[in-house]
Amino acid sequence: MTFDALFQAQLDQLKSEGNYRIFAELERQCGAHPRAQNICDAGEKRDITVWCSNDYLGMGQHPDVVARMQEVVGQCGAGAGGTRNISGTNSHHVALEAELADLHNKEAALLFTSGYVSNWAALSTLGSRLPNAVILSDALNHASMIEGIRHSRAQKVIWRHNDPEDLDRKLAALPANATKIVAFESVYSMDGDIAPIREIVEVCEKHGAMSYIDEVHAVGMYGPRGGGVAEREGLMDRITLIEGTLGKAYGVVGGYIAGSRALCDFIRSFASGFIFTTALPPAIAAAAQTSIAHLKVSGEERARQQRQVALLRKLLDRAGIPHLDNPSHIIPVMIKDPVKCRQIADILMQDFGIYVQPINYPTVPKGTERLRFTPGPNHTDADLHHLVNALTVLWKQCALSHAVA
Ligand code: PLP
């Protein structure tokens, strides 16, 4: 058997389950988000509207962010030139870390090349280097946290999703000499539910546990300065480590942690995922800083985005299209079948110019396949009506085919 045959057997398995991923090739158009062009199989381009972007507020195309990136590429060139340790630390990284520390009201922050890497590196370092570490992980934590915990080889305890009482019981059962780290998210990106952060923090405090929150889907989006759900709820000071991304609401790329000076210095000094990789390009850091600074003082994008989310929910309700009820900006429409999910997404793209990527296993459990809509401030009311009309047509067709069957 050749190696390719080994690869192909597993790919065929994915295809037969309907879980093979087909990427939509897009050309984003600066200033036009959420409009983009889709490059079709034949090579021609068609105009589409993106409904599943994590550039939640369109900041990736904000004129100030784009101008800053262009300006700093002109000043510093394209790349950082090395790891942070070996000639890669630039004044733009230092300024961005100060901006992030201020955002979360922490002493320090530390940059990584992505949110995935920041979770992986921070959790694997905490779990492997702290004495008798036990990491208590919410059952629905993101893959980047799971991988970081696994790599740390620390003892792992999974607590029921968003259940502080279960966390309390599990913490109480640990030996007194354990160093306890509680890892959870604020906004869970697939169901759009939000953690009871206050209760979780209180349980952590009761047991002397470190609290580690992933605010990847919340930074820029919630809180008066975009500091996330913990900022909105006045809890940032009670959380040991806040992790976030620069690639979603801030529209650029990169990840970070924010915490005490000693904590950030510890991760900086021991995390292989920080030490042994080339730093983010200075222009990326400068653009991200511009985006963060903008969203600290401007609530306009958040307000308009929240309006569009509320309106889309209302229109879906009116049309009788079931969606998960949650308090966040994420609107999952449940299909519960991988093949149907793919088919509906294909029809939306081909017949209606609507791009929403089907969310299938392993991103979500089998049987919970869905379309995940993320309305942004630049989706017009007409866009929302067009989307709901298209879904209504498809829903009627589905009902009809059920009836005929
Ligand atoms: N944490 C969560 C909860 C995520 O959903 C994601 C990505 O979607 C990440 C971390 C990784 O962030 P990034 O895309 O910046 O690597």
Side-chain angles (χ1 to χ4, degrees):
M1 203 186 232
T2 65
F3 287 117
D4 278 355
L6 291 173
F7 303 143
Q8 203 53 54
Q10 297 205 25
L11 290 169
D12 289 345
Q13 168 79 17
L14 268 186
K15 285 181 187 167
S16 71
E17 292 167 352
N19 287 322
Y20 181 71
R21 290 169 179 225
I22 300 162
F23 298 157
E25 185 179 338
L26 303 180
E27 264 179 29
R28 301 189 81 193
Q29 294 162 314
C30 191
H33 181 74
R35 313 281 165 237
Q37 289 198 310
N38 171 224
I39 320 298
C40 314
D41 288 343
E44 85 263 20
K45 298 177 179 180
R46 70 180 152 210
D47 294 330
I48 51 128
T49 300
V50 180
W51 274 101
C52 52
S53 178
N54 283 342
D55 185 355
Y56 292 129
L57 300 176
M59 292 303 290
Q61 301 188 0
H62 190 285
D64 295 352
V65 175
V66 173
R68 185 68 178 138
M69 193 181 286
Q70 288 168 336
E71 184 190 11
V72 178
V73 167
Q75 284 167 5
C76 299
T83 64
R84 288 291 295 274
N85 187 36
I86 306 180
S87 85
T89 294
N90 191 276
S91 56
H92 296 289
H93 299 121
V94 177
L96 174 55
E97 286 173 342
E99 189 82 55
L100 287 164
D102 173 76
L103 175 67
H104 293 295
N105 200 22
K106 297 287 184 198
E107 286 175 356
L110 189 68
L111 277 175
F112 296 84
T113 46
S114 74
Y116 187 103
V117 173
S118 56
N119 270 333
W120 184 86
L123 281 167
S124 60
T125 305
L126 292 168
S128 62
R129 296 205 77 97
L130 293 179
N132 307 315
V134 180
I135 304 182
L136 297 102
S137 178
D138 181 285
L140 293 190
N141 272 344
H142 187 253
S144 53
M145 301 168 96
I146 295 169
E147 289 299 331
I149 297 166
R150 190 201 310 246
H151 187 76
S152 79
R153 300 187 181 185
Q155 186 189 337
K156 165 166 147 180
V157 176
I158 295 177
W159 47 288
R160 269 210 304 268
H161 176 57
N162 277 351
D163 185 344
E165 285 173 18
D166 190 46
L167 174 64
D168 188 19
R169 277 190 296 274
K170 291 194 160 136
L171 277 166
L174 293 176
N177 70 346
T179 306
K180 301 155 198 144
I181 303 156
V182 173
F184 63 108
E185 301 177 25
S186 56
V187 177
Y188 286 83
S189 69
M190 290 301 141
D191 289 347
D193 53 336
I194 295 185
I197 304 179
R198 181 175 302 279
E199 288 82 351
I200 292 170
V201 167
E202 277 163 9
V203 171
C204 290
E205 288 169 348
K206 175 176 159 194
H207 293 278
M210 172 188 297
S211 45
Y212 180 118
I213 193 170
D214 172 321
E215 290 247 43
V216 158
H217 291 275
V219 286
M221 303 288 292
Y222 298 90
R225 299 201 311 158
V229 183
E231 186 200 17
R232 183 184 74 184
E233 298 181 6
L235 292 166
M236 288 195 300
D237 295 346
R238 291 169 67 182
I239 295 173
T240 318
L241 185 156
I242 298 174
E243 184 271 346
T245 185
L246 306 170
K248 301 193 193 288
Y250 292 125
V252 190
V253 72
Y256 66 90
I257 58 166
S260 71
R261 197 164 287 114
L263 167 60
C264 292
D265 201 19
F266 172 78
I267 303 293
R268 184 187 75 87
S269 303
F270 291 112
S272 91
F274 175 82
I275 297 170
F276 297 108
T277 188
T278 301
L280 287 173
I284 298 279
Q289 189 189 350
T290 301
S291 182
I292 295 163
H294 176 88
L295 290 175
K296 275 180 182 172
V297 292
S298 169
E300 208 178 290
E301 294 80 5
R302 285 188 283 275
R304 166 97 185 142
Q305 196 255 0
Q306 285 159 17
R307 177 192 180 275
Q308 297 312 77
V309 170
L311 180 56
L312 180 56
R313 287 186 195 283
K314 202 161 91 187
L315 294 176
L316 288 170
D317 284 342
R318 213 181 283 160
I321 294 169
H323 54 99
L324 281 190
D325 190 20
N326 68 49
S328 78
H329 58 282
I330 292 161
I331 306 183
V333 169
M334 305 304 285
I335 309 295
K336 300 184 181 174
D337 179 287
V339 177
K340 276 195 197 129
C341 204
R342 171 89 257 161
Q343 280 169 350
I344 293 175
D346 286 347
I347 298 171
L348 285 171
M349 183 81 124
Q350 277 151 24
D351 296 357
F352 298 94
I354 289 169
Y355 169 47
V356 59
Q357 185 66 4
I359 307 283
N360 286 357
Y361 178 82
T363 308
V364 294
K366 289 181 183 173
T368 70
E369 293 79 8
R370 65 199 64 186
L371 302 173
R372 172 184 178 273
F373 295 99
T374 53
N378 299 324
H379 285 103
T380 63
D381 290 6
D383 289 333
L384 270 62
H385 285 282
H386 178 58
L387 171 65
V388 175
N389 288 341
L391 287 171
T392 307
V393 170
L394 290 178
W395 245 245
K396 280 196 185 128
Q397 281 173 3
C398 280
L400 204 65
S401 61
H402 281 312
V404 172

